[in-house]
Amino acid sequence: MMELFRSLKRNSGAYIGRAVLDALSENTTRTDVLEIRQYYPRADLWEKRSIIRIVDSILSEEEKRPWRKNVKVHSSEDYFAIESFDPKKAKK
């Protein structure tokens, strides 16, 4: 699956990229996640959300904290992405 992810072309479409990322989310290693994380700047919104979910589920808190901080600054307008790794407490 990682080989398919690596060979994706920029014009292959967001759905294909997201489908590959969703398939990778269930069986990735730390090394794969570090490679996937590098794809984030050129991904579209849905792919970015998938990458955030993968990073959040696989990497340790110490490893993902600096990356999430950077993502939060650069993706502040995407509320779905921010909420996925920094959920707000429900109001009562």
Side-chain angles (χ1 to χ4, degrees):
M1 242 356 192
M2 276 304 292
E3 193 58 43
L4 179 62
F5 177 75
R6 288 181 191 114
S7 66
L8 279 178
K9 303 218 179 336
R10 289 278 291 145
N11 62 356
S12 62
Y15 180 76
I16 294 171
R18 178 146 185 251
V20 171
L21 286 168
D22 286 344
L24 282 170
S25 69
E26 296 176 6
N27 47 4
T28 54
T29 64
R30 179 186 169 277
T31 308
D32 293 340
V33 173
L34 294 175
E35 183 177 343
I36 291 168
R37 189 173 69 170
Q38 306 239 338
Y39 178 74
Y40 185 85
R42 66 179 212 183
D44 79 327
L45 283 177
W46 286 102
E47 291 170 329
K48 286 180 179 184
R49 294 170 186 163
S50 292
I51 292 170
I52 289 170
R53 192 175 66 247
I54 291 170
V55 168
D56 199 40
S57 67
I58 302 294
L59 295 182
S60 68
E61 190 61 38
E62 294 79 31
E63 245 181 333
K64 64 185 169 186
R65 188 179 308 122
W67 183 78
R68 285 191 321 191
K69 200 178 227 183
N70 186 37
V71 166
K72 193 172 181 179
V73 168
H74 290 74
S75 298
S76 60
E77 70 281 351
D78 185 6
Y79 298 111
F80 294 110
I82 300 303
E83 184 69 20
S84 69
F85 64 79
D86 192 15
K88 294 181 176 148
K89 295 181 181 176
K91 295 180 182 179
K92 293 183 180 183

